[in-house]
Amino acid sequence: MDFGLLIFATDYAIAPDVLAREAEAHGFESLFLPEHTHIPASRLSPWPGGAELPRQYWHAHDPFVAVSYTHLRAHETRGNLVFRLVREKK
């Protein structure tokens, strides 16, 4: 059985390339990075979880850049993106 890691990569968390190297060194086969880079500039529509948008959303790495860094640093660990597309209703 293979195990992987998932991290919401932000500018105040461990760098994705450093985590990828460490994951590889400790036998993890994959590293997953969620995507949430498109935050509306206006807060007219509140975040469903409360009034304030959580801090990590404002500081999230661009997932494509983060996965690119992981591939530059780790050669055995697979870097992956996690996407969830939600259909908007009017």
Side-chain angles (χ1 to χ4, degrees):
M1 179 181 293
D2 293 324
F3 290 93
L5 298 176
L6 169 72
I7 184 173
F8 197 108
T10 64
D11 57 359
Y12 53 83
I14 186 171
D17 60 323
V18 174
L19 181 59
R21 277 196 316 261
E22 290 300 316
E24 185 175 75
H26 289 87
F28 290 95
E29 71 91 34
S30 57
L31 174 61
F32 292 90
L33 302 167
E35 180 275 335
H36 208 304
T37 58
H38 299 87
I39 307 291
S42 168
R43 302 301 318 142
L44 293 177
S45 297
W47 176 66
E52 293 297 318
L53 190 68
R55 177 179 176 221
Q56 68 264 23
Y57 289 100
W58 296 106
H59 295 270
H61 286 300
D62 179 283
F64 294 104
V65 173
V67 166
S68 298
Y69 283 145
T70 67
H71 286 290
L72 290 173
R73 301 295 183 150
H75 304 289
E76 298 296 323
T77 301
R78 293 184 293 163
N80 300 283
L81 298 177
V82 178
F83 289 94
R84 185 181 80 164
L85 301 175
V86 179
R87 188 175 145 227
E88 282 189 42
K89 292 184 180 182
K90 290 187 178 189

